[in-house]
Amino acid sequence: MLKMSQQHYIKFLREVEGCSVKEIAARVSVHWRTAKKYAGKCLGNFGCKTEHFLLAKHISLKH
C-alpha cells in the first residue's frame, strides 16, 4: 500500500498532467500495475481536478 501523498500524486499525474501509466510508474518508482490501480481509484474528497492542482503544489513542496 502506498502513502496517501503518493496515491494523490499518481492521481494528479493521470488526471491533470495526462501522464500514461508507464510514465507515472517511472516517476513514482512503482510497478505499472500499482500505478494503474491508483490512477483509476477514487480517493474520497480529491475527485476534482482543481483540488488535485492544489494538492500538487503541496506535494511538490515535500519533494
Side-chain angles (χ1 to χ4, degrees), residues 16-56:
V16 178
E17 293 194 4
C19 295
S20 67
V21 171
K22 184 177 178 180
E23 186 177 356
I24 293 169
R27 282 190 181 187
V28 184
S29 300
V30 296
H31 193 277
W32 69 267
R33 287 185 192 144
T34 303
K36 183 177 179 181
K37 173 183 174 181
Y38 289 105
K41 201 174 206 181
C42 179
L43 300 174
N45 295 333
F46 297 100
C48 164
K49 287 185 179 185
T50 304
E51 289 175 349
H52 280 289
F53 177 75
L54 296 174
L55 180 63

Side-chain angles (χ1 to χ4, degrees), residues 1 5 7 10 20 26 44 58 60 62-63:
M1 178 119 190
S5 61
Q7 293 178 29
I10 289 172
S20 67
H58 176 68
S60 66
K62 288 184 176 181
H63 294 290

